[in-house]
């Protein structure tokens, strides 16, 4: 390691130590870590006498107290010993057995750990995290209007919950989830989504993704076929691959998932995962005939349906559509909801409503792997819902998202006519607009990114090659004026 001493980065040649003021770690901790590393690697031999703290401080360009702090910490742990008149030396024996200097391993290549089948499938699928820039720009899909979230009110409720927390809550709470929250969620999904359930059927999860993973772990074996919407939510595909199950892409058209195509491709699939109320990314609603066909198939095949209902609380106009779960007479549907859109994505809180015969197995599984969300946060959310703040926030945001959707549709129709065909949008906070078949959505997406506009490309969500591409616009977090400006920029990317 050769480094030119500068103000930012100084090296003590004899020990090859360095500190870097641009790093967040305190200088004494950097020095402690660097010297410890040199001792453990054998580069500084046991018994070596160190320069005085004054010399070290001068050469490293740090305060002497910084050096003393690092040396004292290493002495306390037994890496260094101080002897009268002979200064500080590296201990003749290292404090921990097995940490003796090892020969350098740089010549023998390190073989990476063996990966599981699931991890290999995940790696080769390319469904990693979507390409995102550091800060969200218009129109990053998936973001709610976080600036309109009543953050101060939420903080007060969290603080009050914490102050009044019961011993039971502090111990860790109920493994299925906080009882008050399960009750509040049951009331919400019954009233707002037409779900049929009692609180016992509700299991709190760390968001949709964790709900998918739990359902797959308990109900699908490796190799089992699982229908996935194509194009569809990549999180569903990741969960299927993570369970070593076999994804079966099922096309989506203007009526939603093509159930007949699914039956032709994999009649005996174990599970179908879909977002029937607001398909992602195309935004289609599953038609009633398709809903009935899907439920008939699931009942006949003893298959299950995982309903991802991630944003349908925000239906901008008309009566809310009933969830698929509310039509299910045979107990085949597991309904997954999330607070990522209705509250904020960082909350990482969702839930799965399981059919009554599955309550026992989910409860048993939770005995070893309890609800992955803090009990305090669950209790705070229960209070937020019980006091009517949640319903009030939803009402307000419904109006905000309606206005933003209209602004976006308006701007797209005016500025991108003939180049983009927006699909109708009456739910949620993103919409999809289709491109002519000879235009690559990925190329437009990349050109737009270069101009400062962030849209999704439908092809990125496709499991098989698609002929028609489109762009996905998130509008939830963007005010109408910024929406119009973003569409102006996008129009330039389309012209390019
Ligand atoms: C289709 C779909 N399902 C679910 C979610 C929410 O996932 P989570 O609850 O894990 O944040 C999203 C988020 O963008 C989504 O697009």
């Amino acid at each position: 390691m050769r480094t030119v001493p500068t103000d930012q980065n100084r090296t003590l040649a004899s020990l090859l130590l360095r500190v870097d003021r641009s790093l967040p770690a305190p200088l004494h901790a950097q020095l402690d870590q660097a010297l410890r590393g040199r001792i453990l690697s054998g580069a500084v031999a046991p018994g070596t006498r160190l320069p005085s703290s004054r010399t070290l401080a001068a050469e490293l360009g740090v305060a002497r107290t910084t050096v003393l702090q690092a040396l004292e910490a290493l002495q306390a742990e037994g890496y260094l010993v101080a002897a009268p008149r002979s200064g500080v030396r590296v201990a003749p024996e290292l404090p921990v057995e097995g940490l003796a200097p090892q020969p350098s391993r740089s010549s023998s290549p390190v073989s990476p750990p063996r990966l599981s089948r699931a991890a290999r499938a995940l790696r080769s699928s390319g469904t990693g995290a979507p390409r995102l820039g550091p800060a969200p720009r218009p129109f990053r899909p998936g973001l709610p209007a976080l600036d309109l979230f009543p953050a101060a009110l939420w903080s007060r409720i969290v603080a009050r919950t914490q102050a009044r927390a019961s011993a039971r809550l502090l111990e860790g709470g109920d493994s299925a989830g906080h009882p008050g929250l399960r009750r509040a969620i049951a009331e919400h999904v019954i009233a707002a989504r037409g779900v049929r359930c009692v609180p016992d059927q509700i299991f709190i999860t760390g968001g949709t993704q964790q709900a998918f993973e739990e359902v797959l772990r308990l109900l699908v074996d490796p190799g089992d076929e699982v229908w996935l919407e194509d194009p569809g939510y990549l999180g569903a595909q990741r969960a299927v691959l993570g369970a070593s199950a076999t994804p079966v892409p099922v096309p989506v058209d203007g009526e939603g998932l093509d159930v007949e195509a699914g039956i032709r491709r994999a009649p005996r699939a174990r599970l179908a995962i879909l977002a029937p109320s607001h398909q992602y990314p195309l935004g289609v609603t599953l038609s009633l005939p398709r809903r009935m066909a899907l439920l008939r198939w699931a009942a006949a095949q003893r298959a299950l349906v995982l309903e991802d209902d991630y944003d349908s609380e925000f239906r901008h106009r008309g009566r809310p559509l009933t969830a698929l779960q509310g039509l299910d007479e045979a107990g085949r549907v597991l309904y997954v909801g999330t607070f990522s859109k209705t509250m904020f994505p960082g909350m990482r809180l969702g839930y799965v409503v399981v059919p009554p015969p599955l309550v026992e197995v989910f409860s048993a599984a939770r005995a070893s792997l309890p609800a992955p969300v803090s009990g305090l946060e669950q209790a705070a959310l229960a209070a937020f819902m019980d006091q009517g703040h949640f319903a009030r926030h939803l009402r307000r945001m419904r109006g905000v998202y309606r206005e933003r959707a209209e602004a976006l549709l308006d701007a797209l129709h005016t500025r991108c006519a003939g180049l983009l065909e927006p699909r109708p949008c009456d739910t949620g906070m993103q919409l999809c607009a289709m491109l002519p078949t000879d235009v690559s959505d990925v190329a437009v997406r990349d050109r737009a990114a270069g101009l400062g506009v962030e849209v999704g490309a439908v092809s990125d969500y496709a499991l098989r090659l698609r002929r028609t591409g489109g762009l996905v616009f998130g509008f939830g977090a963007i005010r109408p004026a910024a929406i119009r400006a973003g569409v102006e920029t996008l129009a330039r990317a389309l012209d390019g």
Side-chain angles (χ1 to χ4, degrees), residues 207-209 233 280 308 310 338 340-341 348:
T208 305
Q209 197 61 32
Y233 182 51
Y280 193 86
D308 174 9
Y310 63 104
T338 178
S340 287
K341 313 291 176 192
R348 303 309 317 140

Side-chain angles (χ1 to χ4, degrees), residues 373-449:
V373 185
S374 137
L376 283 169
E377 188 142 46
Q378 294 182 56
L381 181 56
F384 191 80
M385 294 176 86
D386 285 345
Q387 292 165 23
H389 305 303
F390 183 68
R392 202 167 307 122
H393 181 55
L394 291 190
R395 265 198 306 281
R396 176 173 180 225
M397 297 317 294
R398 218 170 274 138
V400 169
Y401 295 144
R402 182 195 312 124
E403 187 195 9
R404 293 180 181 190
E406 279 168 4
L408 178 56
L409 283 169
D410 225 46
L412 290 175
H413 283 305
T414 315
R415 286 296 287 118
C416 307
L419 297 169
L420 267 181
E421 193 167 331
R423 288 175 168 274
C425 174
D426 45 26
T427 303
M429 54 194 72
Q430 90 266 339
L431 71 77
C432 182
M434 304 316 288
L435 283 161
T437 39
D438 59 343
V439 179
S440 151
D441 54 4
V442 173
V444 175
R445 191 254 336 261
D446 289 347
R447 270 203 305 278

Side-chain angles (χ1 to χ4, degrees), residues 130-144 280 341 429-430 452-456 461 472-478:
R131 262 160 286 167
L132 297 177
R137 295 177 296 179
F139 298 92
R140 178 177 294 183
L143 282 185
Y280 193 86
K341 313 291 176 192
M429 54 194 72
Q430 90 266 339
V453 166
E454 198 175 338
V455 286
Y461 302 97
V472 188
F473 296 78
F475 54 78
I478 311 163

Side-chain angles (χ1 to χ4, degrees), residues 26-79:
L27 296 179
H28 68 85
Q30 289 187 36
L31 188 54
D32 173 330
Q33 200 183 16
L35 186 49
R36 182 193 309 252
R38 308 290 300 150
I39 295 171
L40 286 173
S41 70
V44 183
T48 303
R49 182 164 177 222
L50 298 191
S52 73
S53 57
R54 217 177 294 280
T55 310
L56 278 166
E59 292 201 28
L60 286 163
V62 300
R64 189 165 163 241
T65 47
T66 302
V67 174
L68 289 174
Q69 243 179 311
L71 297 186
E72 275 164 20
L74 290 167
Q75 270 181 48
E77 292 178 53
Y79 289 91

